[in-house]
Amino acid sequence: MTQNCDLTHRKCKPCEGGVPPLTAEVAAELLQQLAGWQLADQKISKIFSFKNYYQTMAFVNAVAWISHREDHHPDMTVGYNQCQVEYMTHAVNGLSENDFICAAKVDMLFKI
């Protein structure tokens, strides 16, 4: 998945209202560059599983760091040994390229 590496080397751009969300076709094309992410209701999401709560929380904090660096923040649902990460761009009320850039970076983080 060399294209996925391309997403991980990109930076998020500031989001402003009045810009249309990605079309379904473009979103589906970008989704093919991500492993295990699901597209539904103008959002992409993935569940990450861990051995214990400590690993889950370490992952959550690392995702928070990526979010801070990119200034693009996911919704996360955290349990004992799993975390669901969900991206959507609220400013455009749908998906933007930023969502896919961050998802690719979270995937890279999970592989560490």
Side-chain angles (χ1 to χ4, degrees), residues 81-93:
N81 64 348
Q82 68 179 18
C83 177
Q84 179 176 358
V85 179
E86 186 175 82
Y87 282 103
M88 110 175 264
T89 303
H90 298 281
V92 301
N93 197 31

Side-chain angles (χ1 to χ4, degrees), residues 23-103:
T23 64
E25 294 79 22
V26 172
E29 184 178 311
L30 288 169
L31 188 66
Q32 290 178 10
Q33 298 178 42
L34 303 173
W37 288 81
Q38 303 295 315
L39 172 62
D41 300 325
Q42 297 293 317
K43 299 175 185 180
I44 56 172
S45 66
K46 183 174 180 177
I47 296 174
F48 296 87
S49 297
F50 302 93
K51 292 181 182 177
N52 56 47
Y53 187 71
Y54 176 80
Q55 288 181 356
T56 305
M57 294 311 295
F59 175 78
V60 168
N61 285 313
V63 172
W65 176 248
I66 290 171
S67 302
H68 172 73
R69 296 284 308 241
E70 294 296 330
D71 196 23
H72 194 70
H73 307 88
D75 289 327
M76 292 189 276
T77 305
V78 180
Y80 172 77
N81 64 348
Q82 68 179 18
C83 177
Q84 179 176 358
V85 179
E86 186 175 82
Y87 282 103
M88 110 175 264
T89 303
H90 298 281
V92 301
N93 197 31
L95 290 167
S96 73
E97 186 178 60
N98 291 352
D99 299 309
F100 294 91
I101 291 169
C102 287

Side-chain angles (χ1 to χ4, degrees), residues 1-12 29-35 44 70 96-108:
M1 285 194 179
T2 55
Q3 292 177 338
N4 191 6
C5 290
D6 182 51
L7 284 172
T8 62
H9 287 91
R10 297 170 92 167
K11 294 288 289 169
C12 290
E29 184 178 311
L30 288 169
L31 188 66
Q32 290 178 10
Q33 298 178 42
L34 303 173
I44 56 172
E70 294 296 330
S96 73
E97 186 178 60
N98 291 352
D99 299 309
F100 294 91
I101 291 169
C102 287
K105 290 182 180 193
V106 168
D107 277 344
M108 180 181 270

